[in-house]
Amino acid sequence: MKRTVFFVVVLCSLLAGFFFGCDKDNSYRVYYNKSGADLGSAPKDTNEYKEGDTVELKENLGNLQRSKKQFGGWWILGSAVDDNGEPKTVYAPGDHITVESSNIVLNVFWEDDENNVIQTAYYTVRHYQQNADGSDPSEPTEIESTKKGTVGKLTTAEPKEYTGFTAQEFTQKEVLEDGSTVVEIYYKRNKIYYQFYNNDSEDMVIGSLEGLYGATVDTTSIQPTPPFTGYTFAGWQPELPETFGAENKKFHAQWNLPSNNDEEENNGSEENGGNSSENGNESGGGENNGENS
């Protein structure tokens, strides 16, 4: 019976945390909504807060806009509203609020403005990744065709983050009403450097390679030297990839030790050589004795 009660208590605690936004370590987050904006992006707050912490509300950093409306501040979702459904408390950017025992969701408070008519249109952003051989791409790697902007204003295209690539400078374009505006963003592959060593230490560099991210790794010029007679090359540590990765790396040659058979053969050759020499000396001694007699 005690186990059943304990299980029920734990389950209820987990469900309470899920529905009321409580993390297991009692930390909370602040979220901003676009609240029906035609343009722009909502601010992001990546901080974690404890109950009782003070939060400074962000500016309209993403320039949220809505036709026939003006940005009028923030209000907390779930807070008290008047008879018209309007929030009773509206906060200006820079105001401070106190974290209680749940996450906080902030909506935009839109003020009426009939003169603020926003005419929007879609535009396209094309992303081009440099080829592995260093040549320019002929086709885009990715196309965004649902970006929206204000007609007559500049686009607000943003570069993407691709592993192993660096975005180049690009030009924003005027948003045309017919949706024909295209912004092109090019990305160059990062140069990657691999260093090679003849053993597990770094006291003997045997070469290095430079290549673009994703290009083929050619180790023809890298020739490790066996540290002792009979040792055979066993590969690289870490394992050498076929293409250049996203980070610079160091590789150490690994070696197979000589087998027992190889050692016995070497020892046998040395012993046979020694016996032949001894026999030769003895034979030579006999001939000398014959001559002296």
Side-chain angles (χ1 to χ4, degrees):
M1 180 66 179
K2 290 182 178 180
R3 290 183 178 179
T4 303
V5 172
F6 175 76
F7 176 77
V8 171
V9 171
V10 172
L11 180 60
C12 289
S13 298
L14 292 174
L15 291 175
F18 177 79
F19 285 109
F20 294 100
C22 173
D23 296 334
K24 62 180 180 180
D25 60 351
N26 293 327
S27 60
Y28 306 97
R29 301 289 298 273
V30 176
Y31 300 96
Y32 293 81
N33 280 337
K34 291 183 64 174
S35 307
D38 296 315
L39 295 171
S41 58
K44 291 183 179 180
D45 189 339
T46 59
N47 296 312
E48 293 186 351
Y49 300 95
K50 300 291 186 182
E51 185 174 356
D53 285 351
T54 299
V55 179
E56 181 177 337
L57 299 186
K58 293 184 177 296
E59 300 285 341
N60 183 17
L61 301 175
N63 194 26
L64 293 169
Q65 300 177 57
R66 186 175 177 182
S67 187
K68 297 186 178 181
K69 300 286 185 180
Q70 286 287 355
F71 177 85
W74 306 103
W75 63 279
I76 299 176
L77 181 65
S79 61
V81 296
D82 59 23
D83 294 338
N84 296 320
E86 298 290 338
K88 290 185 176 181
T89 304
V90 177
Y91 300 91
D95 284 352
H96 294 82
I97 58 175
T98 301
V99 176
E100 297 182 355
S101 57
S102 64
N103 295 329
I104 297 174
V105 179
L106 294 164
N107 285 337
V108 177
F109 177 71
W110 295 110
E111 297 176 336
D112 292 333
D113 184 355
E114 293 296 325
N115 296 322
N116 183 35
V117 178
I118 300 174
Q119 184 180 4
T120 62
Y122 289 104
Y123 62 90
T124 301
V125 181
R126 295 176 180 170
H127 304 269
Y128 295 83
Q129 293 181 356
Q130 183 184 31
N131 296 323
D133 61 3
S135 61
D136 292 330
S138 57
E139 297 293 333
T141 307
E142 185 176 353
I143 299 176
E144 296 178 279
S145 57
T146 57
K147 304 291 287 185
K148 187 185 288 186
T150 303
V151 173
K153 301 291 186 180
L154 291 179
T155 57
T156 56
E158 296 180 347
K160 289 184 171 291
E161 292 187 4
Y162 295 115
T163 299
F165 291 85
T166 300
Q168 306 302 292
E169 291 186 2
F170 63 97
T171 303
Q172 302 284 3
K173 303 290 185 64
E174 179 183 344
V175 178
L176 301 178
E177 185 177 358
D178 61 3
S180 63
T181 303
V182 176
V183 178
E184 295 182 331
I185 305 177
Y186 286 82
Y187 302 78
K188 284 191 175 295
R189 292 176 182 263
N190 297 335
K191 281 187 178 181
I192 306 300
Y193 299 91
Y194 285 173
Q195 191 89 346
F196 296 85
Y197 301 88
N198 205 59
N199 49 39
D200 286 334
S201 65
E202 297 184 1
D203 58 356
M204 188 174 179
V205 179
I206 56 175
S208 61
L209 294 176
E210 172 188 316
L212 297 178
Y213 167 75
T216 301
V217 176
D218 183 2
T219 57
T220 304
S221 61
I222 308 298
Q223 298 296 328
T225 303
F228 301 102
T229 302
Y231 280 57
T232 57
F233 180 63
W236 299 100
Q237 180 61 36
E239 183 177 355
L240 185 66
E242 295 183 358
T243 59
F244 283 93
E247 298 178 347
N248 299 331
K249 282 189 176 182
K250 297 178 180 179
F251 296 89
H252 298 266
Q254 304 296 297
W255 301 97
N256 289 323
L257 301 178
S259 65
N260 291 333
N261 291 335
D262 292 339
E263 291 181 355
E264 290 175 0
E265 289 178 3
N266 290 335
N267 292 335
S269 299
E270 292 176 359
E271 291 176 359
N272 291 334
N275 292 335
S276 299
S277 175
E278 291 175 1
N279 292 335
N281 290 336
E282 291 176 359
S283 175
E287 291 177 356
N288 291 335
N289 290 334
E291 290 177 357
N292 291 335
S293 63

